[in-house]
Amino acid sequence: MSAFDEDLFLKGLAQRKATLGAEYVENTLATADDFTRPFQEAMTAWCWGFGWGDDVIDAKTRSMMNLSMIGALGKMQEWELHCRGALNNGVSPEEIRAIIHVIGIYCGVPQALECFRAARKVLDET
C-alpha cells in the first residue's frame, strides 16, 4: 500500500476477527510473507475497515449479502469461510438455506448444490 492507513487497518482487523474468528485471522496474517502481506493488509483495511466499517448495514445483513455474492461467483472456499462468519454474525441455518435457494434461482442448480455441500460441511462442524 502506498499510503497505509493504520486506523482503517485496525478497524478492519477488529471486524475481520469478529466475523471470521481471531484464530483464523491471526494465522492468516502470521503466515503472510513479503509477497502476500501487502495484499492482506490492504484487504483488511479496504474490505473490512472501509467495506464493513460503518453502521449503515449491520454485520448479519452484510454476511447474508456476502454469501449471495460469493455464491454467485462460485468461489466455494471463500463461501465456506464466509458461511462460518455468517453464523458468527447471527445468520441462522434456515436463512443460509433461503440464501442458497436464491443462488439456485439466479445462478443455477449446480451452484446451489455446491453451496449446500459447503454449508453442510460448516454446519456439521458446529
Side-chain angles (χ1 to χ4, degrees), residues 53-120:
D54 60 48
D55 295 327
V56 176
I57 301 171
D58 62 273
K60 179 180 177 179
T61 303
R62 288 180 200 265
S63 281
M64 294 170 85
M65 293 167 55
N66 273 5
L67 288 179
S68 298
M69 291 182 286
I70 296 168
L73 291 170
K75 304 300 181 190
M76 298 316 298
Q77 186 172 354
E78 286 297 308
W79 199 93
E80 185 178 315
L81 173 67
H82 281 275
C83 187
R84 286 186 193 92
L87 292 168
N88 290 339
N89 284 335
V91 179
S92 71
E94 293 78 18
E95 289 169 321
I96 291 171
R97 180 178 52 230
I99 291 165
I100 296 171
H101 291 170
V102 173
I103 291 169
I105 292 165
Y106 287 96
C107 303
V109 171
Q111 190 55 39
L113 292 171
E114 289 292 321
C115 291
F116 272 118
R117 284 184 196 103
R120 173 54 48 214

Side-chain angles (χ1 to χ4, degrees), residues 6-42:
E6 182 75 17
D7 291 336
L8 197 58
F9 174 81
L10 292 174
K11 184 180 209 178
L13 185 60
Q15 182 60 54
R16 190 177 179 195
K17 286 180 177 183
T19 298
L20 302 179
E23 183 179 342
Y24 169 81
V25 174
E26 289 167 7
N27 184 56
T28 299
L29 293 173
T31 58
D33 57 21
D34 291 341
F35 185 64
T36 61
R37 187 172 298 104
F39 180 78
Q40 284 294 323
E41 291 171 348

